[in-house]
Amino acid sequence: MKRVSAKLVPKLLTEEQMEHRIEVCLDLKNRVSNDPSFIKSIITGDETWVYGYDPETKVQSSQWKTASSPRPKKCRQVRSNIKAMLIVFFDFSGLVHYEFAPTGQTINQVFYKQVLERLREKVRRKRPEAWKSKSWFLHHDNAPAHSALSVCEFLTSKNIPVVPHPPYSPDLAPCDFFLFPRLKSTLKGHRFEDVNETIHNAKQELKAIPIEEIQRCFRKWQDRWAHCIDAKGHYFEGDPFK
């Protein structure tokens, strides 16, 4: 026997929630099997905080040392109070739309509908073929603003189909398992003076993410459906996809 630490998970899932995760993954796998272009027609999005200062991880702050040199010490640091809410949508071909919420603005259903209106306009301009054929799908999680009745009615009225996403499943959301960790890893350890500088640097790093990494993310998303099914709906061990 050996002593191990508990694995931190977003939630201790019920049997029904695990079954739902399997059902969603099976459905998405079947849709891709029947139509390989389906994965390229999905626009996925979410929101996250970007901080004026986010401490480096232990791995990022590690240093080389000789066997005789003392272990380096570092003062514990916390995130800055300076922060901005980033909202971003992307697909297999790259970024479709991103914006930063005004300071003090909460992501409620009224504001999120306005964001979706701006997303539709970006789809019309950047993805004209998908716009004309109405062949694009929206994927987002089950946050209250995303699943509100008024938002669902808006999406229905605009003929925007939504790709299902099981609750409490960041391991199955491209923003959570790829985009946000990828973006924030480059910003960690850098200190920005104000919100404007924070936003400027976040934009630069967001635009700098290579299209090849984004496309790899969508392929790995499909692998995660299979992993979830194999794990019988549990959160699967390890995270080799970041």
Side-chain angles (χ1 to χ4, degrees):
M1 296 183 67
K2 63 179 181 179
R3 189 178 182 87
V4 298
S5 300
K7 177 180 175 64
L8 295 177
V9 296
K11 179 181 172 62
L12 296 178
L13 299 170
T14 65
E15 289 295 329
E16 290 77 14
Q17 289 166 340
M18 289 188 285
E19 289 175 5
H20 184 45
R21 279 164 57 88
I22 295 173
E23 290 171 1
V24 169
C25 290
L26 284 171
D27 175 57
L28 294 175
K29 279 195 67 179
N30 291 335
R31 292 172 77 170
V32 171
S33 297
N34 295 330
D35 180 12
S37 66
F38 170 67
I39 192 70
K40 296 183 180 180
S41 65
I42 300 174
I43 297 177
T44 182
D46 202 355
E47 55 270 347
T48 189
W49 287 111
V50 179
Y51 292 89
Y53 177 75
D54 200 359
E56 293 177 318
T57 63
K58 285 186 177 180
V59 173
Q60 289 176 315
S61 60
S62 61
Q63 303 175 31
W64 291 104
K65 69 181 238 16
T66 63
S68 59
S69 61
R71 182 176 179 177
K73 296 180 176 63
K74 186 176 182 179
C75 179
R76 184 182 297 275
Q77 295 176 311
V78 297
R79 287 172 173 166
S80 167
N81 290 327
I82 298 172
K83 59 183 181 179
M85 175 64 75
L86 168 66
I87 308 166
V88 61
F89 296 87
F90 66 103
D91 64 4
F92 192 84
S93 300
L95 292 176
V96 179
H97 174 63
Y98 68 88
E99 62 180 87
F100 287 85
T103 302
Q105 173 67 57
T106 58
I107 309 301
N108 54 35
Q109 56 186 298
V110 175
F111 180 74
Y112 191 61
K113 281 172 59 180
Q114 297 170 358
V115 172
L116 293 177
E117 285 281 17
R118 292 188 283 273
L119 170 63
R120 289 181 71 244
E121 177 60 21
K122 286 296 181 66
V123 173
R124 185 185 69 81
R125 290 167 47 197
K126 293 187 172 182
R127 306 289 186 266
E129 292 183 4
W131 174 265
K132 291 177 182 177
S133 61
K134 298 182 179 179
S135 59
W136 63 283
F137 298 79
L138 175 65
H139 173 266
H140 54 192
D141 64 17
N142 301 283
H146 301 174
S147 55
L149 178 60
S150 63
V151 171
C152 294
E153 290 175 343
F154 169 81
L155 293 171
T156 301
S157 68
K158 301 300 182 182
N159 297 313
I160 303 174
V162 178
V163 176
H165 182 78
Y168 310 111
S169 299
D171 54 339
L172 299 175
C175 281
D176 289 316
F177 72 74
F178 164 70
L179 188 70
F180 294 156
R182 171 68 174 77
L183 170 67
K184 294 182 181 182
S185 66
T186 57
L187 297 174
K188 283 181 178 291
H190 296 280
R191 195 176 297 277
F192 308 120
E193 295 298 324
D194 53 32
V195 171
N196 290 334
E197 188 180 355
T198 301
I199 290 175
H200 172 75
N201 283 274
K203 283 182 180 180
Q204 294 297 107
E205 295 297 338
L206 187 63
K207 293 177 182 178
I209 298 176
I211 185 63
E212 294 80 11
E213 290 189 23
I214 291 177
Q215 293 176 347
R216 190 181 307 120
C217 155
F218 277 83
R219 290 191 288 269
K220 294 302 184 182
W221 191 14
Q222 298 174 71
D223 293 340
R224 283 172 173 264
W225 301 338
H227 276 276
C228 182
I229 295 167
D230 293 341
K232 296 181 170 53
H234 289 277
Y235 297 116
F236 36 89
E237 293 291 328
D239 194 13
F241 305 110
K242 290 183 181 178

